[in-house]
Amino acid sequence: MVSPNMLKRVFKLTLGFLSLLFVLFLFGIIITWAPDKTVAELQPKWAPLPSVFVDTMGMKVHLRDEGPRTDPNPIVLIHGTASSLHTWDGWVEELKSTRRVVRFDLPGFGLTGPSPNGDYSMDLYVKFVISILDKLEIKHAVIAGNSLGGNITWFTALNHPKYFEKLILVDASGYHFQSTSVPIGFRIARIPLLRNLVSNVLPRFIISSSVKNTYGDPSKVTETQIDRYYDLTLREGNRKALVQRFQQMTPGMHEDKIRELHIPTLILWGGKDRLIPPEYAEKFHEDIQGSKLVVFENLGHIPQEESPKETLQVFQEFMK
């Protein structure tokens, strides 16, 4: 039979253990406290020239427009979820000497920040892309997009075919897909109890793990890249916008429309993409008549960032 003294000891030990856990929890919150950052704080590091901010649809859009203005078919590059225009740095560095290249941070991401009315529907993104092109007086372009940006790219080309000469899909979304691995940051954004906490608490390791999860070779991810993803996630309003985007957009909402695309299309895919596995590259290739598919066996979900030289070479061959 357990004595009263023994029960008291067990109670005290349990209480002490719980108190220690609570203290550690509070300490964890304190050391990972990450309030929003303003654009003014982030701009010197992440938006030096040639970055500009363009007024469109109630937003000041972070945009870069580089290369010769005489280019009759500028190249428009669109990034994916939780990313920014910087994901195309490697491509632009090579292209801008001979081609006009336009890229921008989508609503809800990068330094552009949240949509004024909290709308992150595909229709909103299509309207946004066309508004940028009209602002820049671009009537004909080549358009490329990665992940979410790929979905926006093909849906925009479908709805406004007169604007676009060619289409490039890089590990694009569009189908109702099954991931083999999802970055931890994306998982947290979908869990109600956790996503509210992350509005003010964001351990850097979550961003580090999420970025590395999208690479075929995680060792290629640099500290500078992690800093960029981390800082731009903290841009005021972006964390809430990410949650809203996941709530509003269901993968595969318009997948029945993909077969209606009739435009020269290049499909680039990482063979080690675990977020949108290569089987979906095959689906795009099958559904878009006359498309060309190239799979990079050792790359992941953002191959244009992981190996810009290798992926750009295929793009340039397609452009000839």
Side-chain angles (χ1 to χ4, degrees):
M1 187 173 179
V2 180
S3 67
N5 287 337
M6 180 64 73
L7 288 173
K8 287 181 180 179
R9 289 196 193 101
V10 171
F11 176 76
K12 287 182 178 179
L13 286 171
T14 302
L15 185 62
F17 179 70
L18 292 175
S19 297
L20 177 61
L21 286 179
F22 181 69
V23 169
L24 290 174
F25 175 71
L26 288 178
F27 179 71
I29 289 178
I30 291 170
I31 64 172
T32 58
W33 188 261
D36 285 344
K37 292 187 177 183
T38 66
V39 173
E41 291 177 84
L42 297 168
Q43 185 173 347
K45 187 171 184 179
W46 302 117
L49 291 174
S51 283
V52 295
F53 288 84
V54 176
D55 290 319
T56 302
M57 295 173 60
M59 293 170 278
K60 289 190 176 296
V61 178
H62 178 213
L63 179 146
R64 290 184 181 177
D65 183 355
E66 300 168 82
R69 296 300 188 272
T70 54
D71 188 344
N73 292 303
I75 299 167
V76 179
L77 304 173
I78 304 181
H79 67 79
T81 297
S83 189
S84 66
L85 59 77
H86 303 86
T87 192
W88 300 101
D89 281 351
W91 277 31
V92 177
E93 191 61 33
E94 176 68 23
L95 289 169
K96 66 183 181 181
S97 61
T98 57
R99 300 300 303 269
R100 183 182 181 185
V101 189
V102 175
R103 51 188 168 140
F104 40 79
D105 291 343
L106 292 167
F109 306 111
L111 292 176
T112 295
S115 166
N117 59 1
D119 182 3
Y120 300 100
S121 65
M122 193 55 62
D123 289 338
L124 178 281
Y125 281 121
V126 169
K127 184 179 178 182
F128 174 81
V129 171
I130 295 302
S131 74
I132 292 289
L133 298 187
D134 288 345
K135 192 90 173 178
L136 299 177
E137 299 183 345
I138 294 173
K139 300 302 181 184
H140 300 282
V142 172
I143 189 167
N146 171 231
S147 194
L148 166 66
N151 196 338
I152 294 168
T153 292
W154 69 255
F155 199 62
T156 303
L158 180 66
N159 285 276
H160 299 274
K162 292 182 180 180
Y163 278 84
F164 304 107
E165 303 291 330
K166 293 184 178 182
L167 173 66
I168 295 86
L169 303 178
V170 185
D171 295 69
S173 59
Y175 296 99
H176 183 75
F177 61 88
Q178 294 291 326
S179 302
T180 59
S181 180
V182 178
I184 186 173
F186 290 6
R187 280 181 274 157
I188 288 173
R190 292 173 173 143
I191 301 172
L193 289 176
L194 295 180
R195 68 192 184 205
N196 293 329
L197 180 64
V198 174
S199 293
N200 290 299
V201 177
L202 186 64
R204 189 174 180 275
F205 79 82
I206 288 179
I207 300 300
S208 175
S209 173
S210 296
V211 177
K212 290 178 180 179
N213 185 271
T214 62
Y215 269 53
D217 180 1
S219 68
K220 290 183 179 179
V221 178
T222 67
E223 291 301 308
T224 299
Q225 285 173 300
I226 296 170
D227 285 343
R228 185 186 81 222
Y229 278 96
Y230 183 69
D231 279 353
L232 296 180
T233 298
L234 296 180
R235 193 272 193 213
E236 51 190 357
N238 277 357
R239 283 176 281 184
K240 181 180 178 181
L242 180 62
V243 170
Q244 291 176 318
R245 193 196 74 74
F246 280 129
Q247 290 173 329
Q248 294 176 28
M249 295 180 69
T250 303
M253 288 177 66
H254 305 288
E255 64 178 55
D256 59 315
K257 301 285 188 181
I258 295 173
R259 291 185 179 183
E260 297 177 17
L261 286 162
H262 300 287
I263 178 174
T265 301
L266 172 65
I267 302 162
L268 304 179
W269 221 272
K272 292 186 176 180
D273 187 346
R274 298 184 294 165
L275 182 61
I276 309 179
E279 64 193 80
Y280 297 97
E282 296 288 351
K283 288 178 69 67
F284 274 113
H285 185 41
E286 180 182 338
D287 284 346
I288 303 175
Q289 188 175 4
S291 61
K292 178 181 179 181
L293 169 62
V294 178
V295 176
F296 303 92
E297 295 298 337
N298 295 317
L299 302 181
H301 183 63
I302 43 178
Q304 81 285 353
E305 183 174 310
E306 184 174 1
S307 184
K309 184 177 180 179
E310 183 181 5
T311 52
L312 180 61
Q313 181 178 358
V314 177
F315 169 79
Q316 289 175 315
E317 289 173 0
F318 178 72
M319 293 296 294
K320 292 178 181 177

